[in-house]
Amino acid sequence: MSKLDFTWLLLARCLTLLVGVMALVATLLPLLRQQAWWIRVFDFPRLQIVGVSLGSALAAWLLGVHHWPAGVVLLALLVIASGYQLFRILPYTPLRPKQVEDSKLDGSKAARQREISILVTNVLMTNRDAGRCLRVIQDYDPDIVLAVETDQWWLDQLEVLKARYPYTALRPLPNTYGLLVFSRLELVEPQVRFLIDDDIPSFHSRVVLPSGELVRLHCLHPKPPAPAESKTSTRRDAELLLVGREIEYSDEPTIVAGDMNDVAWSHTSELFRRISGLLDPRIGRGLLPTFHAEYSLLRWPLDHIFHSAHFKVKDIQRLPYIGSDHFPIFIRLSYEPQAKAKQSLNAEKPDAADEEEVEEKIASGFEEEAEEEREQQKSANQGITSTKSTK
């Protein structure tokens, strides 16, 4: 082997080792129960980390890294990391039993009157192609449309839906957290609430099925942990868990839907399901990744519809591209309360540690929001003082 060939081989080995170590770090960081965005962001790309880990392991083997003592250790750790990541993703594949059963009811009028269909779409506020979104809504004809990241322009475009959806809750905002709800089913005591952040709305109501039965509906779109949004996941987690705690002891049929800015397999999502007792229809069916719509190798499920054990699934699917960075997601549920006893056995149960963690996370969310408001007020006061000094 020439000196040049040896140099390139050594460089390739070092690069492979570096990528492998990065994959291991990306696997280990989410195990920390810290809320910093640069830690929580690694909750998202578990499938991608598997690809990088296995790719690094294969490259290391082909490059002869296994002949080094440290190389053998790295290969073993990469295989273990891949196995762990696959274990976390496995429930969201057809390899596991469905947590929510398929509805076997026929299409009789009585059965259809106990169905509810919901379409959730993050439209991307800067997206100016409303036609695609409206066509998807028309094609799938849901009972309820939840559109988030909607500003006044989007409200103006979607107002045509009022002809078919007379019940609405409309809170357009220019901060990417606007929320629009259009329903052809009657809404009882609808409320737009600001649970944690005073600029992040959420929607809460009871919905009257065609059969006359009531269903509780909660629609959310909390801030993600990201440098430009929130430096931690604290308030996102608190908002989701606050809703989970509200419905923890409720026996009402309940649906929670929205862009949660969190993946189904994260610790917080799992904690939410245990506290709320809700089921995830993705389990046993597939990932149905909704983000990022424009990068096929960088996708994970951020938009969710959780529901109580009163429902079975008639249909669930990711919908076509609408020009947003999210794909819409659609679900049709069949209200079958006789299934509750059996399906409740599939629900995850909280323990005392979960209850304590929920209270701590909710309290931390309110504390972080209060601290941010104090900082904003301090900055505003300093600005006023500075202006007076220059006059």
Side-chain angles (χ1 to χ4, degrees):
M1 180 183 293
S2 68
K3 184 176 181 181
L4 181 61
D5 289 340
F6 177 79
T7 300
W8 279 110
L9 177 62
L10 183 62
L11 181 62
R13 285 175 171 175
C14 291
L15 181 60
T16 300
L17 288 173
L18 177 61
V19 173
V21 169
M22 291 173 63
L24 292 176
V25 171
T27 299
L28 292 172
L29 279 176
L31 298 177
L32 303 174
R33 292 291 177 249
Q34 302 299 314
Q35 309 305 313
W37 72 266
W38 57 270
I39 292 178
R40 294 277 58 90
V41 72
F42 291 108
D43 283 328
F44 293 37
R46 292 196 183 275
L47 188 58
Q48 289 74 15
I49 294 171
V50 170
V52 172
S53 298
L54 292 179
S56 299
L58 178 60
W61 181 270
L62 295 175
L63 291 169
V65 172
H66 59 286
H67 295 304
W68 301 353
V72 174
V73 174
L74 177 64
L75 283 172
L77 290 175
L78 286 172
V79 171
I80 292 171
S82 298
Y84 169 74
Q85 298 284 17
L86 287 171
F87 172 76
R88 295 300 303 271
I89 298 170
L90 187 63
Y92 305 93
T93 71
L95 298 177
R96 286 287 296 273
K98 295 175 181 177
Q99 190 176 57
V100 183
E101 297 178 5
D102 293 319
S103 175
K104 299 297 195 299
L105 295 183
D106 58 21
S108 66
K109 181 178 179 181
R112 291 197 307 271
Q113 287 184 333
R114 302 185 99 185
E115 292 179 359
I116 180 171
S117 57
I118 301 174
L119 186 154
V120 176
T121 178
N122 180 320
V123 299
L124 182 63
M125 191 176 75
T126 56
N127 172 23
R128 289 301 182 246
D129 186 2
R132 286 182 175 181
C133 181
L134 287 168
R135 283 193 295 273
V136 166
I137 293 171
Q138 181 177 1
D139 290 344
Y140 288 87
D141 194 30
D143 295 317
I144 298 173
V145 176
L146 167 63
V148 299
E149 206 168 309
T150 41
D151 59 4
Q152 184 60 46
W153 185 91
W154 270 100
L155 174 57
D156 293 341
Q157 309 309 306
L158 298 183
E159 274 195 314
V160 297
L161 295 174
K162 289 181 178 179
R164 288 186 292 144
Y165 298 91
Y167 303 97
T168 61
L170 309 173
R171 189 58 66 96
L173 291 171
N175 64 354
T176 73
Y177 291 98
L179 180 149
L180 308 177
V181 176
F182 297 89
S183 176
R184 66 163 152 253
L185 303 179
E186 182 184 353
L187 301 176
V188 178
E189 298 179 352
Q191 293 181 318
V192 173
R193 295 162 55 191
F194 296 82
L195 297 176
I196 301 290
D197 294 78
D198 57 10
D199 56 352
I200 308 295
S202 59
F203 173 74
H204 311 265
S205 181
R206 284 177 172 81
V207 180
V208 183
L209 298 183
S211 63
E213 293 156 306
L214 294 176
V215 173
R216 291 181 69 178
L217 176 65
H218 303 270
C219 300
L220 309 175
H221 182 211
K223 279 185 179 179
E229 299 289 345
S230 178
K231 293 180 180 179
T232 74
S233 66
T234 303
R235 283 173 286 179
R236 178 203 66 183
D237 299 348
E239 182 168 336
L240 186 59
L241 294 173
L242 191 61
V243 172
R245 192 181 65 177
E246 281 187 14
I247 62 181
E248 181 177 4
Y249 300 109
S250 172
D251 195 43
E252 291 181 88
T254 301
I255 299 170
V256 176
D259 171 8
M260 308 304 182
N261 276 313
D262 199 5
V263 284
W265 49 72
S266 76
H267 174 71
T268 299
S269 290
E270 292 174 347
L271 181 60
F272 166 76
R273 291 202 307 271
R274 291 196 296 272
I275 286 296
S276 67
L278 300 187
L279 306 177
D280 187 347
R282 272 189 172 98
I283 293 178
R285 287 186 170 84
L287 292 175
L288 299 177
T290 55
F291 177 92
H292 194 290
E294 296 181 347
Y295 302 106
S296 58
L297 296 180
L298 291 173
R299 287 181 181 167
W300 37 79
L302 289 189
D303 304 271
H304 302 277
I305 302 169
F306 303 110
H307 60 81
S308 60
H310 302 80
F311 298 95
K312 290 186 179 182
V313 172
K314 294 286 287 187
D315 185 23
I316 181 171
Q317 55 183 301
R318 188 184 72 186
L319 303 187
Y321 178 70
I322 62 166
S324 171
D325 51 355
H326 289 244
F327 291 104
I329 189 167
F330 171 87
I331 193 167
R332 185 180 301 279
L333 296 171
S334 173
Y335 177 54
E336 301 178 27
Q338 70 276 10
K340 180 178 182 294
K342 180 181 178 182
Q343 290 200 141
S344 292
L345 299 176
N346 298 333
E348 302 158 73
K349 304 298 189 293
D351 56 22
D354 289 335
E355 298 283 358
E356 182 178 353
E357 183 179 1
V358 166
E359 294 302 320
E360 291 175 354
K361 283 181 174 290
I362 291 173
S364 295
F366 282 113
E367 289 171 6
E368 185 172 280
E369 174 64 12
E371 177 63 27
E372 181 176 278
E373 290 179 355
R374 285 193 293 269
E375 289 296 324
Q376 291 173 346
Q377 185 61 48
K378 181 179 178 181
S379 298
N381 291 339
Q382 289 175 343
I384 294 172
T385 302
S386 176
T387 301
K388 288 181 178 178
S389 300
T390 58
K391 288 184 178 180

